[in-house]
Structure formats: structure tokens, C-alpha cells
């Protein structure tokens, strides 16, 4: 990783997005002080990470890489060990409450080794949110969750963010997971930061992603770019044109293309972040 | 933290297996001691000449404990490696180290807690050894004077002297186990695989111990530098007079080894990056 500079503010839900090997996990490992950057500095809560490692990490909940546990112990004991490593005392009530929040309370006596991958992910999230840390950092938190669990966990994280003002950083390669979830975005590729910013600022005008199926995508892109239509991030992906725009602009795009003799077969919504991301990676 | 790490040791099967194997070996030995002990020790006494005889009860709990200690001390030390050799490498290979070190605890803190837990385990092993050898021996075979055979010599100790010798020998043996633990944890830091760490530790101990016990002048110059040369010094507590100077020196050598391996482990572990 190089030339990397980013800021995340208190109360943000920040999405770090990038394909495999883009450096997302490496970045999170550096934040967790598991690896030491050759140069540069990381500050959390306004303090330098390295000299204040213990004080800072005691206030951060992590899920980095594939969830790993002591498989021969049950869920309760795993969370208890984790609490102790975090510098806390045995707090049965808080452990049970955390297991309830992620929907694993009924399985608290089960050996972790017997858990399905989705439940392992939930337990990892339980560890990250245990004791309400002011900052939660999650690497691919939604992978291997079924649709119901995905919605539950996403909703839980939103509630934590809203009710406690918890800052949440989520790294993922699947853009769709973050739709309607994040307020700040960091795009990464090949170990570099390619864009970062406030979602509202970036997509305030172009708050809808639009996929246009036409007979001539190249011509459509050229026309849209040359037009004065208020659109952003015009790209071709999978043979279709993708743009970001306000909802009210959609009929004008349709009309403009038809007048320009481009046949429009379909117009369907997409999330704005996807189109934005594609402008950097295409 | 130490309690927590000790709990982790005993939730794994290896620690229980070590104690179980020790108990099984004790039972096998006690059967042999009870059924054929008298005949064996009579023949052993005869090797010292026709005029040697032993007044009192030769087959007693003290002799049982002494002989069992002789039979088990190295085997138990090697079995302990099966538990302690994976204490860091297993956490690395399972990935749990990543989870642990993303918390408040530092690498030095984590290693020291694990090392301390290994010490507790070693202490439990020594207490268990005392219980199954001396405790069981005295309960089943009764007390009496100890006829301690070692290196073709025998020493007779009163029952009280024998108890004191056992106590001191167990303390020295504990020190020897700590040396084994510090070496095994050093290799556990170096390797990501528990099997590698255990195999290398056992190999080093076996090779060094083999050289230490070889009665060949070729290795006389090397022996003082091998930690294994000091491993069996506990047996000197069963000789009269006890050579306190030599025992103190031997204990210091082992302590230095513990300190050196602990420090080296902490330094290397501190510089290692925690990856998958």
C-alpha cells in the first residue's frame, strides 16, 4: 500500500470498497496494529496508534479476515476469553446480552467448532460489538450470511450507529451490501486509494444509479456525455450503459436517447455507488 | 490472564493425556514393583557382593517413588513438550492469535501469560508426579529407609532424609521442566506449525541428552555447554554428602537458559507480523 491518506469521522458508517487484493484487509490489519507500516502514521480517537496501542484497541471492536475462535470451547467461553483479552472482567450479563443481539443466545453452550459459517460470522460480529466500543471495524461482515441474517446484522449495526453514535468501518468487495447503509465511502484498488468522500456530497446530485439497455451503448454514452443532462459517472458495464442521476432526470434521458435514434429497451435502477465505482475501475 | 491461559491448556486434550499416560505408567510400574520387586532388588544387592544385606523393609514407598522417578523423569519432560510446543504456534496456525492480538493485550503480555500458564502446568505435572510416585508409594507400600541406586552406587537414606531429598529433587525437576518449556516455546514462536515446533524441541533434547550421557572423552569439552548435562542433577539429592556447590551451579545454568530462551522468544515474537 502507498500514497494512502484517509479520514473517517466520529459517527460515520464508512464503506471501504475494492476488489480482492486491493489492500482493504491490509489496511484494517494496520489499524489493528497487527502489522507495522514502513512509514506514515495512523491516528485513532486523535491519538497515534503505536504508542497508545493498548488504550486505543480496548475501545475498538474488530472483525478482520475469516472469523477464528477456540473451536473446542462453547460460544459463551469464547466471548468470555475475548472479553478478558480486551481487558474486561467476567460479565455474564453483557456476554448473554451480546449473544442475544446477534441471535446466538440459544446456542451459547454449543461448541464453536460445530457452528455453520454464517453463525461463526455472527459470533465474530458479537465480539466486535461486545461492550459497545465507540469504533467497530468489520472486514467482509456480511459474507456467508443468509438473506435473513444479512438484514438482521445490517439493521443491528445501523441501530448501534444511530443509538450510540458508534463509528463503523465496513470493508467489502460487494457494493450491493452497502446500499443505503454507509454515509462515507473509500474506494481502493491495487493498494491505492482511488477516491474517498461523503456519500451525500458525492451522490447528492446523482443519488440514483440507472442501467440503460440500448441497441447502441457506445453511441448512448457519447450522446449522454455530450448532452447538458445533469448526470455523472457514465460508463458501459456488461453491455449496458450505467449513469448516476436524480430520479427526475430519468424521463429526459429516455426521451433524449429516443430522439437521437438510440433504441431504449429498458431502464432499471441500480445503486449509485456501483456506477461511481465503475468509473474508476473500468 | 494466567488463570485464563491455564484454563485454555486444560481444555485441550493434550494436557489431560500427559497426566493420564503418567498414571498408566505408574500403574504398570507398581504392578512390576509389587510382583517382582523383591527378586529384582535382591539380585541387585548381590551384585555388590555376598556380604551386602539390607535390614528392614527394602520394598517400600520411598524406593517405589525413587525408581518411578528415575523411570519417568525424561519421558514426562518430553511429554510436556507436546503441550507447550504448540502454545504459540497453534494460536498462529489456527488464526486465534490474530483475534487475540487485535485486542488490548500486547505480544509480550500474551507470551508472558502463556509462559506463566506453562509454568503452572509444569508445577501441576510435578505435583502429580509426586502424588503418583511418593503419595501412592507410601500409601500402598509403606514408609522405610531408602536404598537409592545410582550409577552403580547405592546410598541409604532414613525415611525422613528421603522425604527431604524427594522435596528438593522435585523442586530441581521443576526447574528442569521450566528449561524444557522455555526451549519448546522458543521453537513455538519460530514455527507456525505445532508439529514442527514439538519435533524440533524433542529432537534437540534427545540429541543433546544423548551426547550428555555418552561416556566418551571426545564430547567432554562440549558437555558443559549442553543444557541437558544439567537435567539429571536432581538425582544428586539422593547421594551423601550432597554436593551443594555443584547443584547450585547446575541450577544457575538452567535459570540462565530459561532467561535467555524467554528473552529471545519475546524479542522474536514482538517483531513477527500477524498474518493469516
Amino acid at each position: 500500500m502507498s500514497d494512502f491518506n484517509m479520514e473517517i469521522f466520529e459517527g460515520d458508517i464508512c464503506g471501504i470498497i475494492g476488489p480482492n487484493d486491493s489492500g482493504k484487509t491490509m489496511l484494517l490489519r494496520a489499524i489493528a496494529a497487527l502489522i507495522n507500516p514502513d512509514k506514515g502514521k495512523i491516528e485513532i480517537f486523535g491519538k497515534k496508534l503505536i504508542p497508545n496501542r493498548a488504550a486505543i484497541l480496548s475501545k475498538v471492536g474488530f472483525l478482520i479476515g475469516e472469523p477464528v475462535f477456540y473451536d473446542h470451547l462453547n460460544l459463551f467461553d469464547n466471548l468470555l476469553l475475548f472479553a478478558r483479552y480486551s481487558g474486561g472482567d467476567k460479565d455474564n450479563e453483557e456476554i448473554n446480552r451480546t449473544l442475544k443481539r446477534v441471535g446466538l443466545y440459544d446456542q451459547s453452550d454449543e461448541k464453536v467448532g460445530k457452528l455453520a459459517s454464517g453463525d461463526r460470522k455472527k459470533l465474530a460480529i458479537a465480539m466486535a460489538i461486545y461492550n459497545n466500543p465507540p469504533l467497530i471495524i468489520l472486514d467482509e461482515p456480511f459474507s456467508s450470511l443468509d438473506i435473513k441474517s444479512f438484514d438482521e446484522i445490517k439493521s443491528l449495526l445501523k441501530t448501534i450507529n444511530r443509538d450510540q453514535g458508534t463509528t463503523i468501518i465496513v470493508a467489502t468487495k460487494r457494493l450491493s451490501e452497502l446500499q443505503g447503509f454507509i454515509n462515507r465511502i473509500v474506494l481502493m484498488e491495487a493498494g491505492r486509494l482511488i477516491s474517498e468522500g461523503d456519500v451525500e456530497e458525492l451522490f447528492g446530485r446523482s443519488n440514483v444509479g440507472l442501467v440503460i439497455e440500448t441497441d447502441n451503448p457506445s453511441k448512448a454514452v457519447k450522446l449522454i456525455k455530450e448532452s447538458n443532462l445533469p448526470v455523472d459517472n457514465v460508463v458501459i458495464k456488461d453491455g449496458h450503459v450505467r449513469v448516476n442521476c436524480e430520479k427526475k432526470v430519468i424521463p429526459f434521458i429516455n426521451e433524449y436517447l429516443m430522439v437521437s435514434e438510440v433504441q431504449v429497451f429498458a431502464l432499471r435502477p441500480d445503486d449509485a455507488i456501483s456506477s461511481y465505482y465503475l468509473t474508476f475501475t473500468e | 490472564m494466567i488463570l485464563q491461559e491455564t484454563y485454555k491448556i486444560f481444555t485441550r486434550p493434550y494436557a489431560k493425556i500427559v497426566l493420564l499416560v503418567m498414571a498408566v505408567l505408574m500403574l504398570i510400574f507398581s504392578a512390576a514393583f509389587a510382583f517382582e520387586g523383591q527378586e529384582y532388588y535382591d539380585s541387585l544387592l548381590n551384585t555388590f557382593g555376598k556380604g551386602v544385606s539390607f535390614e528392614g523393609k527394602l520394598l517400600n514407598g520411598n524406593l517405589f517413588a525413587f525408581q518411578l522417578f528415575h523411570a519417568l523423569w525424561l519421558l514426562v519432560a518430553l511429554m510436556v513438550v507436546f503441550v507447550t510446543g504448540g502454545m504459540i504456534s497453534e494460536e498462529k496456525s489456527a488464526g486465534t492469535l490474530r483475534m487475540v492480538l487485535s485486542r488490548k493485550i500486547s505480544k509480550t503480555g500474551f507470551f508472558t501469560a502463556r509462559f506463566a500458564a506453562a509454568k503452572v502446568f509444569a508445577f501441576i505435572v510435578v505435583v502429580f508426579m509426586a502424588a503418583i510416585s511418593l503419595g501412592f508409594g507410601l500409601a500402598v507400600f509403606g514408609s522405610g529407609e531408602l536404598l537409592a541406586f545410582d550409577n552403580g552406587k547405592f546410598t541409604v537414606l532414613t525415611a525422613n532424609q528421603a522425604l527431604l531429598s524427594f522435596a528438593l529433587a522435585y523442586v530441581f525437576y521443576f526447574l528442569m521442566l521450566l528449561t524444557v518449556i522455555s526451549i519448546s516455546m522458543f521453537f513455538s514462536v519460530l514455527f507456525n506449525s505445532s508439529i514442527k515446533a514439538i519435533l524440533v524441541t524433542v529432537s534437540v533434547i534427545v540429541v543433546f541428552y544423548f551426547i550428555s550421557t555418552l561416556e566418551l572423552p571426545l564430547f567432554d569439552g562440549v558437555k558443559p555447554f549442553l543444557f541437558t548435562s544439567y537435567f539429571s542433577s536432581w538425582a544428586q539429592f539422593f547421594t551423601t554428602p550432597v554436593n551443594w556447590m555443584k547443584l547450585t551451579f547446575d541450577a544457575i545454568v538452567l535459570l540462565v537458559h530459561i532467561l535467555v530462551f524467554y528473552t529471545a522468544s519475546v524479542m522474536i515474537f514482538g517483531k513477527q507480523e500477524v498474518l493469516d
Side-chain angles (χ1 to χ4, degrees), chain B residues 26 28 30 65 75 82 84 135 142 160 164 178 227 262 268 272:
Chain B
M26 180 274 287
I28 294 169
S30 61
L75 291 177
F82 289 109
T84 58
N160 285 341
L164 181 66
L178 292 191
F227 53 82
Y262 168 80
I268 294 168
Q272 284 176 343

Side-chain angles (χ1 to χ4, degrees), chain B residues 105-122:
Chain B
I105 190 166
S106 66
K107 283 181 186 168
T108 304
F110 180 69
F111 182 85
T112 306
R114 295 240 81 186
F115 189 63
K119 282 183 194 172
V120 173
F121 175 65

